[in-house]
Amino acid sequence: MHSNYKILIADDIHPIFIEQVEAAGYQCDYQPAIKLDVALQIIADYAGLVVRSKFNVDRNLMDAGKNLRFVCRAGAGMDNVDEAYAAQKGIKLINASEGNMDAVGEHCVGLLLALMNNFKIADAQIRAGEWKREANRGYELKGKTVGIIGYGFMGKSFARKLSGFGVNVIAYDKYKTGFSDQCAREVSMEEIVKHSDVLSLHIPLTSETNGLVNDEYLFHFKKPIFFINASRGKVAQVRAILNAIKQGKILGAGLDVLEVEKFPALAEQEWFNDLIQSNKVMLTPHVAGWTFDSYREISEVMAEKLIALRLLPAD
């Protein structure tokens, strides 16, 4: 079959993607176990590449893919794809933020409620034979101000999930204006820092956001906050979060992402032992957007977007 029709699927995705794009005329080569060196050798035979996070789609891979016309990333961001180089080469990029935004929104609410009500600590105490009611008195969300940084698909989803809790949701987005809606009010970063009881990050990793949350940034918050990060780990410095917990500036942190992820590299970080010993931190392994439901929805969104591009040659 002509390379215009062929897609290399280099990661595990839901079969609905293959079903839908093959019905539209593409041929899928499903190789979820493929290694980068092998992909480099064969990518010239394909018009499309589908990846999650297995490897970076960089200049080398795009140069090797001389017939490459599109790259689909089965997830929200494009931080493992060289977007600027893809634009230079005329390679279309497709992601699927819509496919996992509800998963992320719900996960963030779950982390926040667990932190505010000491679920992790209370559960461990009871299992250890301790019954401590007063020590586990929690906070209610009602009446609190939740500050959201980044008001794209993920930020909006979190705001929608919070709409039944009687909270005041404020949002800042450096790249958008006029986005206030029934779920959140657009504000400046200064207002986020001044008013927030909760801070949640929903921003991509860029040169501007890398290390955004550091000691100096957290120093300026006027009230103690609950902190949630389900965006990208390198946006928030773990040591700064731990310092703010020690200082009482962060009451609890829910982290689905970390500066360094996966073992053994994670255990080698200077902050790792302090992180896992803190009972004011709840950790999940970068799964906020990765539910049984979003697994399918991401593939459906990717297929729909690819078909809409109408890249197949006319018969």
Side-chain angles (χ1 to χ4, degrees), residues 104-116 119 158 228 282:
V104 171
E106 291 186 16
H107 193 93
C108 290
V109 172
L111 284 174
L112 182 55
L113 291 174
L115 289 168
M116 295 182 78
F119 288 165
F158 184 47
I228 305 292
M282 180 161 284

Side-chain angles (χ1 to χ4, degrees), residues 115-225:
L115 289 168
M116 295 182 78
N117 292 282
N118 299 311
F119 288 165
K120 175 183 173 183
I121 299 168
D123 180 80
Q125 287 173 346
I126 293 171
R127 292 172 191 274
E130 300 174 334
W131 192 268
K132 297 183 175 181
R133 292 189 71 214
E134 183 57 36
N136 287 298
R137 190 191 291 261
Y139 295 88
E140 294 176 23
L141 259 174
K142 182 180 179 182
K144 302 293 190 295
T145 295
V146 178
I148 294 175
I149 299 180
Y151 206 63
F153 288 110
M154 306 304 166
K156 286 180 184 176
S157 175
F158 184 47
R160 280 199 299 271
K161 307 305 180 197
L162 289 169
S163 61
F165 284 95
V167 292
N168 173 38
V169 181
I170 56 178
Y172 168 78
D173 194 310
K174 183 174 181 178
Y175 304 103
K176 294 182 179 182
T177 56
F179 58 79
S180 292
D181 57 25
Q182 68 272 27
C183 298
R185 179 171 59 87
E186 179 185 355
V187 299
S188 65
M189 182 67 88
E190 288 72 24
E191 289 176 271
I192 293 277
V193 167
K194 182 177 181 181
H195 299 297
S196 295
D197 298 294
V198 174
L199 177 67
S200 188
L201 305 181
H202 299 277
I203 48 181
L205 178 63
T206 67
S207 56
E208 286 186 309
T209 63
N210 194 348
L212 169 72
V213 177
N214 56 20
D215 288 316
E216 182 185 355
Y217 180 78
L218 292 169
F219 171 79
H220 293 290
F221 276 77
K222 303 301 182 191
K223 296 189 279 186
I225 59 170

Side-chain angles (χ1 to χ4, degrees), residues 11-149:
D11 252 316
D12 171 45
I13 63 167
H14 193 282
I16 193 69
F17 175 84
I18 298 171
E19 180 184 318
Q20 293 185 355
V21 301
E22 288 195 336
Y26 288 98
Q27 177 190 341
C28 293
D29 185 2
Y30 186 60
Q31 296 196 45
I34 195 170
K35 298 288 192 291
L36 177 58
D37 58 341
V38 179
L40 282 165
Q41 292 171 26
I42 66 173
I43 193 64
D45 296 332
Y46 298 89
L49 172 67
V50 177
V51 294
R52 281 202 341 251
S53 303
K54 178 186 287 182
F55 46 66
N56 289 332
V57 183
D58 57 13
R59 286 171 176 251
N60 288 339
L61 189 56
M62 286 187 261
D63 285 342
K66 61 177 191 273
N67 293 304
L68 209 55
R69 301 180 68 197
F70 61 90
V71 174
C72 296
R73 173 148 193 279
M78 278 289 181
D79 34 291
N80 61 326
V81 179
D82 188 334
E83 295 182 74
Y85 196 61
Q88 277 184 44
K89 294 184 72 77
I91 297 171
K92 304 285 187 184
L93 299 180
I94 296 169
N95 65 350
S97 302
E98 304 95 321
N100 63 357
M101 61 183 181
D102 287 309
V104 171
E106 291 186 16
H107 193 93
C108 290
V109 172
L111 284 174
L112 182 55
L113 291 174
L115 289 168
M116 295 182 78
N117 292 282
N118 299 311
F119 288 165
K120 175 183 173 183
I121 299 168
D123 180 80
Q125 287 173 346
I126 293 171
R127 292 172 191 274
E130 300 174 334
W131 192 268
K132 297 183 175 181
R133 292 189 71 214
E134 183 57 36
N136 287 298
R137 190 191 291 261
Y139 295 88
E140 294 176 23
L141 259 174
K142 182 180 179 182
K144 302 293 190 295
T145 295
V146 178
I148 294 175
I149 299 180

